[in-house]
């Protein structure tokens, strides 16, 4: 019999309606009971916290990753984490960056609360538990299971605010599918080695600066003035930014502040194509973030700065 641990952190899957709005109060044991019978699975449970994911801090997520590691060390075949959908893609990605175990860690949640007339959480949780116990999920790293699809942590994004099919991996697609209780493999993306991050230490501050038509460099300069050790540009298209942003980005790189360029477009990589845009940014030393979202790019750059403050590009090599 496969052994899986369920670690609950709150989110919509654990929420009930109150006069003040949804509140995450449902414990892990009750979540598991609602998922229904799971033949062939032995599931243990624990509650780490009960908060919406928009309220999680970096320290909270590092504690979550440490807790996952502790349960894996206890000998289970996999771990499932219930989590709010707002920042699930960030928590899953950070967990994946340091995950050096073949056993799966599977994040899941819900779009409708626990006390909704037709909650989606129980089915999502049942799928995630099955995935965590299935040999097909081994060596895939950290995963996110939602609405029958299972995505690798890298590249996954929340693509719907309210519909049940909340997540996608634009340009990549799912790596597993769950249908009728069976787990079917779809793809096996390459995995770089885990990063040796110290999970007890705070990551360097990295800010995301969004670009809009006509943007100046005020927010970029303000981020560095506020203490950002690195900056991610949420650029147009294949990695282009307004001229004032490009000019200041070049200054920052010369001054030792790394700049990572990601796109605001959901699918496709950034590339050094346009003079005055991506080509100029790359020429001036900015790092191009491949197809990572700005938010996952922020975590990767922060991790690289933690490991090599002088040359984070060395850590990023092969990961973008």
């Amino acid at each position: 019999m496969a052994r899986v641990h369920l670690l609950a952190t709150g989110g919509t899957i654990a929420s009930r309606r109150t006069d003040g709005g949804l509140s995450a109060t449902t414990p892990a044991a009750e979540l598991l009971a609602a998922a229904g019978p799971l033949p062939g699975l032995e599931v243990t449970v624990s509650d780490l916290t009960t908060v919406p994911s928009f309220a999680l801090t970096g320290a909270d997520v590092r504690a979550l990753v440490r807790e996952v590691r502790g349960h894996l060390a206890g000998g289970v075949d996999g771990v499932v984490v219930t989590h709010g959908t707002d920042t699930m893609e960030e928590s899953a990605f950070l967990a994946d960056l340091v995950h050096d175990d073949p056993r799966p860690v599977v994040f899941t949640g819900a779009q409708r609360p626990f006390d909704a007339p037709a909650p989606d959480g129980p089915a999502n949780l049942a799928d995630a538990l099955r995935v965590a116990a299935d040999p097909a999920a081994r060596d895939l790293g950290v995963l996110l299971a939602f609405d029958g699809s299972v995505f690798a942590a890298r590249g996954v994004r929340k693509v719907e605010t309210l519909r049940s099919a909340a997540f996608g991996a634009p340009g990549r697609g799912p790596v597993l599918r769950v249908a009728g209780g069976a787990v079917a493999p779809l793809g096996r993306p390459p995995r770089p080695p885990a990063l040796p991050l110290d999970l007890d230490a705070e990551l360097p501050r990295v800010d995301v600066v969004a670009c809009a038509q006509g943007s100046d460099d005020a927010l970029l300069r303000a981020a560095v003035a506020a203490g950002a050790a690195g900056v991610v540009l949420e650029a147009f298209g294949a990695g282009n930014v307004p001229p004032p942003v490009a000019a200041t980005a070049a200054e920052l790189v010369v001054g030792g502040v790394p700049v990572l360029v990601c796109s605001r477009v959901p699918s496709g990589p950034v590339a050094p194509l346009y003079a005055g845009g991506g080509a100029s940014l790359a020429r001036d030393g900015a790092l191009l973030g491949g197809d990572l979202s700005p938010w996952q790019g922020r975590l990767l750059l922060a991790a690289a700065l933690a490991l090599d403050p002088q040359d984070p590009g060395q850590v990023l090599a092969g990961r973008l």
Side-chain angles (χ1 to χ4, degrees):
M1 181 174 289
R3 295 174 56 223
V4 176
H5 187 79
L6 167 59
L7 178 62
T9 70
T12 301
I13 191 171
S15 292
R16 300 174 188 266
R17 291 179 177 83
T18 73
D19 291 342
L22 297 177
S23 180
T25 57
T26 309
E30 199 169 346
L31 295 178
L32 178 61
L38 296 162
L41 282 183
E42 176 187 340
V43 184
T44 54
V45 301
S46 62
D47 293 281
L48 182 63
T49 185
T50 51
V51 295
S53 67
F54 58 76
L56 291 172
T57 65
D60 293 331
V61 179
R62 294 195 309 276
L64 166 60
V65 177
R66 290 196 302 269
E67 190 77 8
V68 167
R69 283 182 164 179
H71 290 295
L72 288 172
V76 296
D77 296 300
V79 175
V80 170
V81 179
T82 54
H83 192 289
T85 59
D86 281 351
T87 64
M88 191 188 298
E89 65 204 67
E90 293 169 74
S91 296
F93 184 66
L94 180 62
D96 188 60
L97 286 177
V98 301
H99 188 54
D100 58 358
D101 192 297
R103 292 170 291 178
V105 175
V106 187
F107 281 69
T108 195
Q111 289 284 75
R112 298 186 292 275
F114 186 81
D115 60 353
D120 57 328
N124 286 342
L125 178 54
D127 284 352
L129 291 164
R130 292 185 181 102
V131 169
D134 198 287
R138 289 180 70 86
D139 293 306
L140 289 177
V142 176
L143 302 167
L144 192 157
F146 223 93
D147 198 44
S149 295
V150 184
F151 304 95
R154 179 182 172 125
V156 71
R157 295 190 183 198
K158 188 171 184 182
V159 295
E160 290 282 351
T161 59
L162 297 174
R163 290 176 58 203
S164 59
F167 288 91
R172 292 171 176 258
V175 295
L176 301 167
R177 177 172 290 129
V178 186
V183 179
L186 299 176
R188 188 163 287 272
R191 282 186 50 72
L195 295 177
L197 280 180
D198 179 0
L199 293 172
D200 291 319
E202 185 175 355
L203 290 175
R205 175 172 175 166
V206 172
D207 287 344
V208 177
V209 175
C211 293
Q213 191 176 65
S215 290
D216 61 20
D217 64 348
L219 293 179
L220 186 54
R221 292 189 181 278
V224 177
V231 178
V232 175
L233 295 178
E234 186 181 6
F236 309 125
N240 305 306
V241 298
V245 176
T248 298
E251 291 178 22
L252 293 181
V253 172
V254 170
V257 178
V259 175
L260 181 67
V261 183
C262 297
S263 181
R264 69 180 190 177
V265 180
S267 181
V270 293
L273 298 177
Y274 292 90
S280 298
L281 288 167
R283 178 202 64 206
D284 293 333
L287 304 164
L288 301 185
D291 65 349
L292 277 183
S293 72
W295 308 279
Q296 291 194 342
R298 179 186 73 87
L299 288 167
L300 181 57
L301 181 54
L305 281 164
L307 294 170
D308 191 344
Q310 302 307 314
D311 190 7
Q314 291 295 317
V315 179
L316 297 178
R319 294 177 176 274
L320 295 175

